Amino acid sequence: MFQTFKEWFWLERFWLPPTIKWSDLEDHDGLVFVKPSHLYMTIPYAFGLLIIRHFFEKFIATPLAKSFGIKEEVRKKIIPNTVLENFFKHSTRQPSQTDIYGLAKKCNLTERQVERWFRSRRNQERPCRMKKFQEACWRFAFYLMITAAGIVFLYDKPWVYDLWEVWNGYPRQPLLPSQYWYYILEMSFYWSLIFSLGSDVKRKDFLAHVIHHLAAISLMSFSWCANYIRSGTLVMIVHDVADIWLESAKMFSYAGWKQTCNTLFLIFSTIFFISRLIIFPFWILYCTLILPLHYLEPFFSYIFLNLQLMVLQVLHLYWCYFILKMLRRCLFMKNIQDVRSEDEVEDEEEEEEEENEEITKGKERDCLKNGLGANRDLIPNGQHGH
């Protein structure tokens, strides 16, 4: 059965233009062509990147974070409560006012104490700034490296400057070593992000990130097997060039350098809008959707490739919504706050306000106690309160 499925899956009509056979893409005369088996190496390379990431975060990102004044946070301990813990885990992390009233009665606590418990409990699971900085620093380092490599790999390629060259000779286009490493490293990185989803910081757009990573891997794998390497390298460079600025903005945000963060975010937004809302649909999609029709009749892999690219464009519009919200804050509130983390920050700020309030009340009590102690000697004997 598996052999039958394998033969069906790799039928030429799914992957190649009509009249082209897999035998046409066999290595010959020193020319190497793409092979699906090449992609097996992305998995061990992904684990290799996870190992590199571990040491990078430990020996580079962490010292860098400390130099910016970011410290390991000590979480405020909460009083264990089985009823509240079960409700937190199995019902909701954000109880309604009715839930709070019922839980307060059940636990013999005040509503204020229940609210404070849930706020502290949510903050226990909130990732610390150090972890956020480490992740952003790692992604910044990789995107910087891969973008620089992409520029070096592509600057002298004719299809970068003349989109007709993308399809010249397709699919009998040999694989270059630079294309191999550019693809394999990029795919390995996205696999490593998939593998680390369980331990990385979770955001409101967690599902969108999962879809994005899977779509990226699917798109790169498919374009590799169907030998859409030239258009694939253009898609990668267009995406990577903006991500550098986003990750650097995050790093400075976590470090508290708000003005630098705002400036970098504005640069990122500009590059994002140009690269993903102008270049991608009007340059890349034009290249993959329109130009091939001058060479070939539509076939399955041509349709499937462009469907995936359109899904990617929908995700671009989705993230554009978040970026516009953050830009509005930047322009009208003079501060960028990641809208995906609003609840976390609100909890943190409320908890800090409560701690400050408790400290203030404690000081007032100490002052009253000390004041009373200092004045007791002035009260005549026999006139102390009974």
Side-chain angles (χ1 to χ4, degrees), residues 6-119:
K6 183 179 177 182
E7 291 174 359
W8 171 83
F9 184 79
W10 291 110
L11 285 174
E12 281 100 345
R13 71 169 184 265
F14 292 150
W15 300 90
L16 302 173
T19 74
I20 301 295
K21 305 294 183 184
W22 288 117
S23 57
D24 297 327
L25 300 181
E26 292 180 356
D27 299 348
H28 61 86
D29 300 327
L31 299 177
V32 177
F33 292 84
V34 295
K35 299 176 182 61
S37 59
H38 289 155
L39 300 182
Y40 295 149
M41 291 306 298
T42 59
I43 302 300
Y45 284 154
F47 285 107
L49 284 175
L50 288 175
I51 295 170
I52 293 171
R53 173 181 173 176
H54 171 76
F55 289 104
F56 176 89
E57 291 183 352
K58 184 175 181 179
F59 295 109
I60 298 178
T62 300
L64 184 60
K66 290 179 179 177
S67 71
F68 278 118
I70 300 174
K71 299 176 181 178
E72 295 282 358
E73 296 178 21
V74 179
R75 298 295 186 199
K76 182 181 177 181
K77 292 184 178 180
I78 62 171
I79 300 171
N81 187 303
T82 306
V83 174
L84 298 183
E85 184 68 25
N86 285 335
F87 190 91
F88 180 88
K89 287 183 174 179
H90 302 116
S91 295
T92 177
R93 297 156 53 98
Q94 300 274 0
S96 65
Q97 200 58 44
T98 306
D99 294 330
I100 290 173
Y101 177 79
L103 290 168
K105 290 290 185 183
K106 188 179 291 186
C107 299
N108 197 26
L109 298 171
T110 66
E111 291 180 36
R112 182 69 168 167
Q113 287 174 321
V114 173
E115 288 176 351
R116 189 177 299 166
W117 188 94
F118 274 93
R119 190 174 300 118

Side-chain angles (χ1 to χ4, degrees), residues 63-310:
L64 184 60
K66 290 179 179 177
S67 71
F68 278 118
I70 300 174
K71 299 176 181 178
E72 295 282 358
E73 296 178 21
V74 179
R75 298 295 186 199
K76 182 181 177 181
K77 292 184 178 180
I78 62 171
I79 300 171
N81 187 303
T82 306
V83 174
L84 298 183
E85 184 68 25
N86 285 335
F87 190 91
F88 180 88
K89 287 183 174 179
H90 302 116
S91 295
T92 177
R93 297 156 53 98
Q94 300 274 0
S96 65
Q97 200 58 44
T98 306
D99 294 330
I100 290 173
Y101 177 79
L103 290 168
K105 290 290 185 183
K106 188 179 291 186
C107 299
N108 197 26
L109 298 171
T110 66
E111 291 180 36
R112 182 69 168 167
Q113 287 174 321
V114 173
E115 288 176 351
R116 189 177 299 166
W117 188 94
F118 274 93
R119 190 174 300 118
S120 298
R121 183 66 180 84
R122 286 194 297 270
N123 282 334
Q124 277 195 332
E125 297 193 349
R126 175 178 51 83
C128 64
R129 282 196 304 153
M130 176 67 79
K131 181 172 177 56
K132 291 179 180 179
F133 184 92
Q134 290 171 337
E135 291 183 10
C137 191
W138 163 248
R139 290 193 295 265
F140 167 78
F142 181 85
Y143 286 132
L144 181 62
M145 180 275 295
I146 203 68
T147 301
I151 292 170
V152 170
F153 293 159
L154 292 173
Y155 83 96
D156 61 344
K157 302 301 184 291
W159 60 85
V160 176
Y161 310 100
D162 181 5
L163 293 181
W164 291 99
E165 287 294 322
V166 170
W167 299 102
N168 186 19
Y170 176 82
R172 299 182 182 89
Q173 297 169 339
L175 176 66
L176 303 175
S178 59
Q179 293 173 320
Y180 172 86
W181 286 111
Y182 192 22
Y183 250 84
I184 295 300
L185 285 175
E186 189 93 25
M187 284 190 64
S188 300
F189 177 69
Y190 279 108
W191 274 121
S192 73
L193 292 180
I194 291 287
F195 297 153
S196 62
L197 278 172
S199 58
D200 285 348
V201 175
K202 289 182 175 58
R203 303 289 191 182
K204 285 184 178 180
D205 61 349
F206 173 80
L207 181 59
H209 266 94
V210 173
I211 294 172
H212 173 269
H213 298 340
L214 292 175
I217 291 171
S218 172
L219 180 58
M220 285 187 282
S221 299
F222 182 80
S223 64
W224 180 273
C225 295
N227 206 16
Y228 294 121
I229 302 298
R230 293 184 180 182
S231 57
T233 54
L234 297 180
V235 171
M236 290 191 290
I237 194 69
V238 164
H239 282 74
D240 292 338
V241 71
D243 292 331
I244 304 169
W245 302 96
L246 176 61
E247 300 305 332
S248 61
K250 288 180 182 178
M251 289 166 60
F252 283 101
S253 174
Y254 302 143
W257 292 33
K258 297 301 179 185
Q259 191 58 48
T260 306
C261 167
N262 291 355
T263 302
L264 290 169
F265 188 80
L266 287 173
I267 295 172
F268 159 74
S269 301
T270 303
I271 296 175
F272 182 94
F273 293 137
I274 293 172
S275 63
R276 304 197 191 187
L277 300 184
I278 298 175
I279 293 178
F280 186 84
F282 298 107
W283 188 52
I284 301 293
L285 279 177
Y286 172 77
C287 173
T288 61
L289 193 61
I290 306 300
L291 293 187
L293 298 180
H294 291 83
Y295 291 92
L296 308 159
E297 291 293 325
F299 56 103
F300 180 82
S301 70
Y302 157 83
I303 297 169
F304 190 64
L305 171 73
N306 285 288
L307 282 176
Q308 291 182 92
L309 292 175
M310 289 175 187

